Amino acid sequence: QVQLVESGGGSVQGGGSLRLSCAGSGYLYCMGWFRQAPGKEREGVAAICGGGAIIYADSVKGRFTISRDNGKNTLYLEMKSLKPEDTAMYYCAAESRRSATLKPSGYSYWGQGTQVTVSS
């Protein structure tokens, strides 16, 4: 059983930056970041797999960067030019699948989430 622990969330003004981290207890091939705002469905933000495949949601392309340190079993999400609509609980997820996906159903392991709040 892989455990994932997110950190780095917080409150920031629009246009600001945050860096999220997700520490895993083991290595899994694909990892992703998801977010869920109140009253909305959970949506995929970015995903990265061991072969180097990276995908982003259109809403964050050019502003967010996903990366991972396999030696530390840690996933990162660098968020820049943050907007109020980026406000949500952000979750880290992992799976042993061999292809990147932004579908929540594609992941078996989830962290507890870290809150990101962007004010205008």
Side-chain angles (χ1 to χ4, degrees):
Q1 184 79 5
V2 173
Q3 294 184 334
L4 303 171
V5 180
E6 302 95 335
S7 61
S11 297
V12 65
Q13 287 193 329
S17 301
L18 282 173
R19 188 193 196 204
L20 305 183
S21 298
C22 172
S25 61
Y27 174 83
L28 284 173
Y29 193 74
C30 289
M31 299 186 75
W33 287 102
F34 293 78
R35 65 187 182 187
Q36 188 166 18
K40 294 187 177 181
E41 293 186 353
R42 189 168 297 188
E43 63 174 355
V45 174
I48 182 170
C49 292
I54 293 176
I55 54 175
Y56 293 98
D58 289 343
S59 59
V60 306
K61 283 181 180 177
R63 300 188 299 121
F64 291 10
T65 302
I66 189 172
S67 62
R68 65 190 298 178
D69 184 332
N70 293 331
K72 296 180 179 179
N73 290 328
T74 301
L75 180 72
Y76 302 99
L77 185 67
E78 190 78 38
M79 304 186 294
K80 298 181 179 179
S81 301
L82 283 162
K83 304 175 182 179
E85 51 263 44
D86 294 318
T87 294
M89 184 71 78
Y90 282 71
Y91 298 90
C92 168
E95 180 57 63
S96 58
R97 66 182 297 117
R98 290 288 170 174
S99 59
T101 180
L102 294 179
K103 296 180 179 179
S105 59
Y107 295 83
S108 298
Y109 303 101
W110 291 85
Q112 82 290 345
T114 185
Q115 178 68 38
V116 172
T117 302
V118 184
S119 58
S120 56

